[in-house]
Amino acid sequence: MDSLVRMVLDEAGVKQERLSLQWASAAEAPRFVKLITDFTGQVRELGPLGEAEGLEPAEIKSKLEKALAVISDRKVRMFFGNATKAVRKEANYSREYIAAVIEDKMTKTVTAAFSAPAEDKEKPAEKKAKKPAAKAAPKKAKAPAKKAEKKPAKKAAPKAKKAAKKKPAAKKAAPKKAAAKKKKSTVKKKTTAKKK
Amino acid sequence: MSKEEYNPRILGFLCNWCCYAAADSAGVSRYQYPPNLRTIRVMCTGRVDPSFVIRGFVEGAAGIFTGG
């Protein structure tokens, strides 16, 4: 996780020092305090996001949104899964080794995803606009919508209403799973956008 | 804004069983640590997805601390 995020941040032009992954057990309060103090000092030195990188806030935001799209990309995730499998096979969990494997397997995919056509750049913005409305929209809501395209408009209308009714129920039922579903729905949106 | 005055917003993903408990006990035993950390408690550090971290930066965090 660490290595992949660092790689993507690097591509986006964000300094790696802004991310820290550390371990402190429940009994290590002094260590935790030290870690937080050090990290805060480190970030304070870097200044606000974009200052140490020499980028404008708007520019860095668009770059990060692109990075978010890259990291949610199905292909990238697939390669990431393969890389983790390779690490597990070797049973060598040192940071250096994992970083090496990730770099070896993923540099190409990540750079390719970053240099993907500009239409990808528009998608994150689209997603953001849609998200609040269809936050917890489950798979069911999407499926009838697809069917509706094929069927005449009269039949489509009641189905859409049903889907709308299902949404609030689903929200109540699974608030914890909302985050996971969000991810699913973003992937779905991507595929539908391509179809259109 | 001078660097001394600048208070970065740091997002922290803390594991419920390790760092979160450590932060708790640090509070109980009155250790001083910077108040810049905004904590998100996760049930395990393994729950943290790469996209969470990137989204944290998109939303304007100056630094992200992941603690297991």
Side-chain angles (χ1 to χ4, degrees):
Chain A
M1 196 279 294
D2 189 48
S3 314
L4 176 63
V5 174
R6 277 173 203 281
M7 184 188 283
V8 172
L9 284 182
D10 214 32
E11 289 282 334
V14 175
K15 291 221 168 182
Q16 295 189 3
E17 286 84 36
R18 291 190 184 278
L19 174 66
S20 149
L21 174 67
Q22 298 290 349
W23 314 103
S25 92
E28 294 178 315
R31 179 175 148 77
F32 172 77
V33 169
K34 190 177 169 292
L35 288 173
I36 292 294
T37 316
D38 288 353
F39 185 58
T40 309
Q42 197 180 322
V43 174
R44 187 171 282 153
E45 245 168 56
L46 287 172
L49 195 63
E51 196 181 275
E53 288 85 358
L55 294 168
E56 295 291 316
E59 193 182 354
I60 204 148
K61 189 150 194 203
S62 75
K63 273 194 169 183
L64 279 168
E65 267 167 11
K66 173 85 181 163
L68 187 60
V70 164
I71 217 156
S72 314
D73 184 57
R74 204 177 297 169
K75 213 171 175 182
V76 172
R77 299 303 286 247
M78 198 183 76
F79 272 85
F80 183 48
N82 287 343
T84 53
K85 246 184 225 169
V87 170
R88 233 173 290 151
K89 215 175 183 181
E90 287 291 317
N92 180 351
Y93 297 105
S94 75
R95 254 183 207 196
E96 294 79 27
Y97 179 72
I98 294 174
V101 170
I102 295 274
E103 202 185 329
D104 181 39
K105 298 216 171 197
M106 303 211 49
T107 310
K108 217 176 168 185
T109 338
V110 170
T111 43
F114 255 98
S115 55
E119 59 172 340
D120 276 26
K121 257 190 182 175
E122 286 163 22
K123 273 176 197 166
E126 229 174 80
K127 265 188 231 162
K128 266 206 164 176
K130 276 180 188 173
K131 246 177 198 172
K135 229 177 188 178
K139 281 179 184 175
K140 283 175 193 170
K142 265 287 153 149
K146 271 181 195 169
K147 278 179 196 168
E149 284 173 10
K150 288 173 192 170
K151 285 177 183 175
K154 272 184 188 175
K155 280 185 182 176
K159 278 213 170 183
K161 270 182 193 173
K162 268 183 194 173
K165 274 180 190 172
K166 271 177 194 173
K167 268 182 207 172
K171 262 184 193 173
K172 275 181 193 171
K176 273 193 182 176
K177 284 178 184 171
K181 269 178 187 167
K182 219 192 242 178
K183 230 182 276 161
K184 273 181 196 168
S185 60
T186 53
V187 173
K188 281 240 158 173
K189 263 167 217 159
K190 235 183 190 177
T191 53
T192 49
K194 271 178 192 170
K195 273 176 193 170
K196 276 170 195 171
Chain B
M1 202 190 288
S2 74
K3 271 179 188 172
E4 282 78 32
E5 282 168 18
Y6 170 63
N7 276 318
R9 270 184 299 173
I10 295 175
L11 184 63
F13 291 103
L14 303 186
C15 165
N16 182 36
W17 312 105
C18 306
C19 251
Y20 194 81
D24 193 22
S25 72
V28 169
S29 38
R30 300 196 186 184
Y31 286 107
Q32 293 280 330
Y33 64 92
N36 304 353
L37 189 77
R38 313 284 163 91
T39 305
I40 295 179
R41 182 174 63 128
V42 288
M43 274 298 148
C44 173
T45 323
R47 177 71 181 84
V48 179
D49 188 274
S51 65
F52 296 179
V53 177
I54 304 285
R55 171 143 299 189
F57 280 121
V58 170
E59 302 292 338
I64 292 181
F65 176 87
T66 314

